[in-house]
Amino acid sequence: MRLKPIATVVNTVSEDIRDWDEVESRLVFEKEYVPGLYKLERFKHIWVIFGFHKKRGWSARVHPMHDPNRPLVGVFATRSPKRPNRLGLTLVELVSIRGNVVRVRGLDAYNGSPVWDIKPYEKEIVYDSQDRRKSR
Amino acid sequence: MRLKPIATVVNTVSEDIRDWDEVESRLVFEKEYVPGLYKLERFKHIWVIFGFHKKRGWSARVHPMHDPNRPLVGVFATRSPKRPNRLGLTLVELVSIRGNVVRVRGLDAYNGSPVWDIKPYEKEIVYDSQDRRKSR
């Protein structure tokens, strides 16, 4: 399937950024999709599905958190960008919506990343999940 | 960007299903991606990004939960499949992993849906979010 960007990420982060938590980004929407934002302001957090546009190729196994001291695990057991379809998924804080610009906080996407979709964060999907290894 | 399925959803649900919570599905992975599943069994829940393959086109505004009695809102303020890139996102329970088959519970995807990506559910991304309208 071919994806078309609904928006583009605009921010001023540098390549060597480590902590994305306080990063503010603008999602600049294509004009045709702006009516789809109606009532999105009800939500405090949204999911952003975006593209790792700087990466090419994928690795079956990666070091979690880019840390070479951590043992290799399958790429699907991580959030690594080195995945087959290079889809990023991050829960962010919704700061404001003005016209075609949605401001968010905490998105770990570089300037220029394409946005494929956004979805509201719904409280009911929260589980008290655990890393199984730790819970044994 | 062009997406390639990493897996295909196999289940026996009918078109008129209402409650997906207990539905078990198999994600049948393409052989080349099986090494990427290594250590995924550590997690009790995973995110599945899949395609609404039965839908065509999109609507800027939709009735939430397919309920015509609910006022129209922007499609990005809902999980409706009538979205520009037809990406579905659901948190599911990971039941088992055997070879190229990942069994999950609670995936609201019809038989034959393409799977674009899976990601581990990480506890730290849970917020105590609220529908703003209700919290006022």
Side-chain angles (χ1 to χ4, degrees):
Chain A
M1 187 176 70
R2 187 170 286 281
L3 299 179
K4 276 179 62 178
I6 61 168
T8 303
V9 175
V10 176
N11 61 33
T12 57
V13 301
S14 59
E15 288 280 344
D16 58 353
I17 184 168
R18 291 277 179 158
D19 183 1
W20 296 83
D21 288 356
E22 295 302 315
V23 169
E24 280 206 17
S25 296
R26 287 181 291 150
L27 312 182
V28 181
F29 273 71
E30 303 296 323
K31 291 290 191 295
E32 64 179 309
Y33 299 124
V34 172
L37 299 173
Y38 180 62
K39 295 293 185 189
L40 183 67
E41 72 276 6
R42 292 174 174 179
F43 296 93
K44 281 164 64 177
H45 295 89
I46 60 174
W47 291 102
V48 179
I49 301 176
F50 61 97
F52 296 117
H53 69 307
K54 299 200 175 208
K55 299 290 175 182
R56 290 290 175 273
W58 72 286
S59 300
R61 298 191 181 181
V62 300
H63 294 288
M65 316 289 287
H66 310 290
D67 180 350
N69 295 318
R70 294 183 185 228
L72 288 166
V73 301
V75 68
F76 299 124
T78 76
R79 300 178 71 240
S80 167
K82 297 179 179 175
R83 42 208 323 116
N85 285 317
R86 303 197 305 279
L87 296 175
L89 170 66
T90 303
L91 183 59
V92 303
E93 184 185 342
L94 178 56
V95 177
S96 68
I97 304 173
R98 298 280 183 279
N100 71 324
V101 177
V102 176
R103 297 186 80 95
V104 299
R105 185 176 294 120
L107 179 63
D108 51 346
Y110 290 107
N111 184 55
S113 299
V115 177
W116 308 125
D117 205 353
I118 61 171
K119 292 172 190 281
Y121 172 77
E122 297 174 87
K123 198 179 181 185
E124 62 263 37
I125 58 171
V126 177
Y127 292 90
D128 182 26
S129 189
Q130 293 283 352
D131 182 316
R132 274 187 174 150
R133 197 181 32 167
K134 288 179 190 159
S135 64
R136 274 177 191 154
Chain B
M1 186 176 71
R2 186 171 286 280
L3 299 179
K4 275 178 62 178
I6 60 168
T8 303
V9 175
V10 176
N11 61 33
T12 56
V13 301
S14 58
E15 288 280 343
D16 58 352
I17 184 168
R18 292 276 180 159
D19 182 1
W20 296 84
D21 287 356
E22 296 302 315
V23 169
E24 280 205 18
S25 295
R26 286 180 291 150
L27 312 181
V28 180
F29 273 71
E30 302 295 324
K31 291 290 191 294
E32 65 179 308
Y33 300 124
V34 173
L37 299 173
Y38 181 62
K39 294 294 183 188
L40 182 68
E41 73 275 6
R42 292 175 174 178
F43 296 93
K44 281 163 64 176
H45 294 90
I46 60 174
W47 291 102
V48 179
I49 302 177
F50 61 97
F52 295 118
H53 69 307
K54 300 202 176 206
K55 300 290 175 182
R56 288 292 175 271
W58 72 287
S59 300
R61 297 190 182 183
V62 299
H63 295 287
M65 316 290 287
H66 310 291
D67 180 352
N69 294 318
R70 296 184 183 224
L72 287 167
V73 300
V75 68
F76 298 124
T78 75
R79 300 178 72 239
S80 166
K82 297 179 179 175
R83 42 209 323 117
N85 284 318
R86 303 198 303 281
L87 295 176
L89 170 65
T90 303
L91 183 59
V92 303
E93 184 185 343
L94 178 55
V95 177
S96 69
I97 304 173
R98 298 281 182 279
N100 71 324
V101 177
V102 176
R103 298 185 79 97
V104 299
R105 185 177 294 121
L107 179 63
D108 51 346
Y110 290 106
N111 184 55
S113 299
V115 177
W116 308 125
D117 205 352
I118 62 172
K119 292 173 190 279
Y121 172 76
E122 297 174 86
K123 197 179 181 185
E124 63 264 38
I125 58 173
V126 177
Y127 291 90
D128 183 26
S129 188
Q130 293 283 353
D131 182 317
R132 274 187 174 150
R133 194 183 33 170
K134 286 180 191 158
S135 64
R136 274 177 191 149

